[in-house]
Amino acid sequence: MAIVEIERPTHGGAGKDAALRDWVRALEATAPIAGHPQRILPRVIEEVAHRRGEAEALISARGTLTYRTLAERANRYARWALRQKLAKGETVCLLMPNRPEYMAIWLGITSVGGVVSLINTQLRGPSLAYCIDIVAPKHVIVAGDLIAEFRAAELESQPKIWSHGRSDGLGREFSRIDREIEQFSAAPLTPAERRDVTLSDRALTIYTSGTTGLPKAANVSHRRLMQWSFWFAGLMDTGPDDRMYDCLPLNHSIGGVVATGALLVRGGSVVIAEKFSAQRFWDDVAEWDCTLFQYIGELCRYLVDAPEEPRQRRHRLRLCCGNGLRADIWEKFQSRFEIPRILEFYAATEGNVSLYNVEGKAGAIGRVPSFLAHRFPLALVQFDAAADAPTRDASGCCIRCATNEVGEAIGRIGDGASAGGSEFEGYTSAEDTERKILRNVFEPGDAWYRTGDLMRRDAGGFYYFVDRIGDTFRWKGENVATSEVAQALMAFPGVAEATVYGVSVPRTEGAAGMATLVANGALDFVQLRQHLARRLPPYARPLFLRLKDRIEVTATFKHKKTELAREGFHPAAARDAIYFDDPERQAYVPLDDALYERIRAGKVRL
């Protein structure tokens, strides 16, 4: 079926006809995937390299990889994996900041059946060690500029360690993989070198925070990589003339697969920024001549709050794609920066629930057209907050939500042969996988994936995100498990008890971390802050600390957090000493009424 090109809207969302064409393009792009089980993403990149060899594929301030050099680098890493006798399904951990080489490494290793675990570069100490140990890697590749952080993590496993690039004198005991691979041919793999790698095989593990505990390693198959890449290529209508600005972490599914894969499968280019900078953003977008931007809502808020920039409307962006964009920020962002179109969606790395707002309705995370209901088996069910579980009726079945009623979003788990993304590939831990499955939901024997997210659906069929369930909050675009933060606090001398929760801060997305502490003496806040910096990534460190004589508990000895979260960080409401992690002074400082009002007014950068 041929798709007729239409003139893109100059502002706002897509009309009904344009939205339908978006859906059809996505369906057409993904339809052939299942019929070619050995055509995996590395093979697709190789195909594009044959057609567009000298075209720019991955661009950065560090350097550029053309399609030819990307394919050649991937081939060298593939042969390195073969030389190391890395068996199909065995794991290599990759700890590296954003750069083009990052994708060349995992494309190469996965092309011959290896599994690459993408490690969050912000992890420190026990959290970093835990994430490496749970996947039992045979090898770990560490960027030279992260050697110090890596060496501070005490691993239980004993993988071979490889450094990549200079390390300022550290890590000399590690072999340099960037030198090692130069001995291998860059030519396409021979038939003898190609293993029987199919769509069903695992390609990556990407870490995600669940409702409780430390990060979990989610399984990502080659099928999922292909589905994500081609689906978004269709929705965004990517082509060889497009350039994506990608400042999201490459160790995340959105920054590392969606933003990159959707361009590369169509011969476009990806501009990889090492990190987001509101000050540099519009200069980068203009200088690199980008046509697309992959966002999370928090980044859009930073841009809206930033001072006027000379180039903020002198760009060629035609579409911004991402998730977590609040309605009020959406309208300001689109209007101020003259963004022709915003494509908001909802998805999770490990989940089988996804929604797409192709109509551009501000604040909505998407809807499911009637002709795709079979492909997106989504339901909202009533949730019992006291029981921390979906509500069931007298017959034991879950209860579907009415229009505009808030409930947990769940997705029916397919049998592996169904169309679309209804499969739940789970985690490396069988116990973690089982905890995310809800059984006997609407009929005996059915199984549904629990998103852990509360949503509502309006009369027009649009879904809206409401909140996270359980002991998790979202800050800086990351899920934060309160139990992990509490454990870090409790490990500090003088902290007798700690409970952690998220609090709303005006003019910000998500919830900022706050901890209520019971101390058994005077606390050294300077040492406490340094302790947390060693153990937790920046987004997980509590922004506010509250000191109390005791923390009330339930009959089952669980901390009562509801009232603490309701009181928030208002000094008058709390009636206790509250401290704020001041970014300018790099210290916890007493929070008084004047500082509280400055934070509420958005005058303190968080």
Side-chain angles (χ1 to χ4, degrees):
M1 175 178 175
I3 303 299
V4 179
E5 285 294 324
I6 61 168
E7 183 179 351
R8 293 189 176 90
T10 57
H11 192 269
K16 289 183 178 180
D17 290 343
L20 178 60
R21 279 188 278 268
D22 289 339
W23 288 116
V24 172
R25 276 198 307 269
L27 291 167
E28 288 189 330
T30 53
I33 293 174
H36 301 85
Q38 292 185 314
R39 188 175 184 249
I40 58 177
L41 187 61
R43 297 265 184 107
V44 174
I45 303 304
E46 189 177 358
E47 293 168 9
V48 179
H50 284 308
R51 301 193 306 269
R52 293 181 53 76
E54 299 310 311
E56 294 172 318
L58 302 174
I59 304 166
S60 81
R62 284 177 171 264
T64 293
L65 291 179
T66 64
Y67 276 94
R68 178 181 60 79
T69 54
L70 173 59
E72 289 176 348
R73 296 296 284 177
N75 290 334
R76 292 183 191 274
Y77 283 108
R79 290 190 168 95
W80 167 84
L82 293 172
R83 174 69 61 86
Q84 301 304 315
K85 295 181 169 55
L86 187 74
K88 185 178 174 182
E90 289 185 334
T91 296
V92 177
C93 286
L94 178 58
L95 180 64
M96 178 179 285
N98 282 14
R99 57 193 60 167
E101 191 80 357
Y102 191 100
M103 196 163 187
I105 292 172
W106 72 252
L107 281 171
I109 295 172
T110 61
S111 72
V112 292
V115 177
V116 181
S117 285
L118 309 183
I119 307 295
N120 189 331
T121 58
Q122 295 192 68
L123 294 174
R124 299 290 183 268
S127 298
L128 176 56
Y130 173 83
C131 286
I132 293 173
D133 286 335
I134 61 172
V135 296
K138 297 294 181 181
H139 302 267
V140 178
I141 300 171
V142 186
D145 42 1
L146 290 173
I147 289 291
E149 289 80 358
F150 173 76
R151 292 180 67 178
E154 299 178 2
L155 302 185
E156 293 183 5
S157 55
Q158 295 182 323
K160 180 173 175 56
I161 312 303
W162 301 78
S163 66
H164 188 288
R166 295 179 58 184
S167 55
D168 295 328
L170 298 174
R172 290 178 179 173
E173 69 271 30
F174 305 143
S175 301
R176 285 275 300 271
I177 192 171
D178 49 322
R179 293 172 178 169
E180 182 81 6
I181 65 164
E182 295 304 323
Q183 67 180 288
F184 301 112
S185 169
L189 298 180
T190 65
E193 290 173 311
R194 294 191 187 276
R195 290 170 170 167
D196 183 23
V197 183
T198 70
L199 295 172
S200 298
D201 291 318
R202 194 159 51 114
L204 304 175
T205 52
I206 298 179
Y207 295 80
T208 177
S209 294
T211 55
T212 59
L214 288 160
K216 294 187 283 290
N219 297 319
V220 179
S221 67
H222 285 281
R223 176 183 289 106
R224 217 165 175 84
L225 296 183
M226 289 285 284
Q227 185 74 23
W228 288 346
S229 298
F230 279 94
W231 182 265
F232 279 93
L235 280 184
M236 293 190 287
D237 194 16
T238 60
D241 294 331
D242 277 314
R243 280 192 173 186
M244 169 69 79
Y245 187 73
D246 184 9
C247 56
L248 299 179
L250 293 182
N251 56 266
H252 282 197
S253 53
I254 302 304
V257 181
V258 171
T260 55
L263 273 292
L264 296 180
V265 298
R266 292 287 179 81
S269 305
V270 184
V271 176
I272 299 174
E274 289 200 24
K275 60 182 179 180
F276 170 76
S277 167
Q279 186 176 5
R280 280 287 314 164
F281 181 85
W282 294 112
D283 286 338
D284 280 355
V285 167
E287 287 170 11
W288 294 112
D289 198 26
C290 295
T291 59
L292 303 165
F293 165 46
Q294 192 80 44
Y295 68 81
I296 58 172
E298 191 77 347
L299 303 190
C300 300
R301 182 184 68 82
Y302 286 149
L303 292 171
V304 167
D305 288 345
E308 290 278 328
E309 292 285 343
R311 299 171 112 175
Q312 67 180 29
R313 285 182 289 275
R314 288 154 54 187
H315 58 76
R316 285 207 311 129
L317 289 178
R318 64 175 180 83
L319 181 147
C320 295
C321 175
N323 51 32
L325 187 55
R326 288 197 335 241
D328 58 334
I329 301 298
W330 180 318
E331 291 160 353
K332 293 175 184 175
F333 178 74
Q334 190 165 26
S335 175
R336 174 177 166 182
F337 303 121
E338 297 181 0
I339 305 298
R341 188 176 169 207
I342 291 173
L343 174 59
E344 173 82 1
F345 68 92
Y346 168 89
T349 299
E350 76 279 32
N352 67 348
V353 173
S354 55
L355 292 160
Y356 305 91
N357 183 357
V358 297
E359 293 85 354
K361 184 177 177 63
I365 57 176
R367 61 185 289 269
V368 180
S370 57
F371 61 87
L372 286 177
H374 67 288
R375 194 180 179 99
F376 297 97
L378 164 68
L380 298 186
V381 293
Q382 293 179 8
F383 184 78
D384 184 342
D388 196 30
T391 304
R392 292 185 182 262
D393 61 20
S395 65
C397 292
C398 293
I399 305 168
R400 292 182 186 270
C401 290
T403 299
N404 282 317
E405 182 181 11
V406 175
E408 182 178 1
I410 59 174
R412 190 175 65 235
I413 297 173
D415 58 7
S418 56
S422 63
E423 297 85 359
F424 170 44
E425 296 179 353
Y427 308 100
T428 54
S429 163
E431 293 80 8
D432 287 337
T433 299
E434 185 59 33
R435 276 194 288 268
K436 292 292 283 186
I437 299 175
L438 192 64
R439 301 188 183 277
N440 304 314
V441 177
F442 300 119
E443 59 188 19
D446 67 348
W448 294 66
Y449 165 78
R450 293 190 63 183
T451 65
D453 288 329
L454 297 175
M455 301 180 190
R456 67 176 178 86
R457 178 178 178 271
D458 70 13
F462 285 93
Y463 289 82
Y464 300 82
F465 177 81
V466 176
D467 207 352
R468 288 287 294 168
I469 293 172
D471 287 338
T472 300
F473 58 90
R474 193 166 179 83
W475 182 245
K476 304 292 185 185
E478 300 276 358
N479 290 336
V480 181
T482 59
S483 58
E484 181 184 1
V485 181
Q487 287 173 6
L489 287 163
M490 291 290 290
F492 185 76
V495 176
E497 199 172 355
T499 189
V500 180
Y501 44 95
V503 293
S504 297
V505 180
R507 299 175 63 81
T508 66
E509 296 282 344
M514 184 167 183
T516 293
L517 308 179
V518 175
N520 54 17
L523 287 178
D524 185 334
F525 285 99
V526 174
Q527 291 295 321
L528 175 58
R529 191 177 189 278
Q530 293 174 0
H531 166 82
L532 294 174
R534 288 191 297 268
R535 294 184 62 105
L536 298 171
Y539 61 82
R541 299 168 198 161
L543 197 61
F544 304 99
L545 298 177
R546 176 178 177 179
L547 297 184
K548 287 182 70 69
D549 293 330
R550 60 185 293 270
I551 300 173
E552 293 187 9
V553 297
T554 67
T556 54
F557 303 101
K558 294 181 180 178
H559 287 143
K560 292 184 177 180
K561 299 185 182 184
T562 304
E563 186 65 16
L564 294 173
R566 187 190 66 77
E567 292 173 349
F569 61 99
H570 194 309
R575 300 183 302 281
D576 295 309
I578 296 180
Y579 294 83
F580 167 64
D581 189 3
D582 191 319
E584 294 182 0
R585 296 167 64 178
Q586 293 287 293
Y588 280 111
V589 301
L591 180 67
D592 56 21
D593 289 337
L595 179 53
Y596 171 78
E597 290 302 331
R598 288 184 61 224
I599 295 171
R600 280 181 51 83
K603 295 180 179 179
V604 178
R605 183 176 177 83
L606 304 180

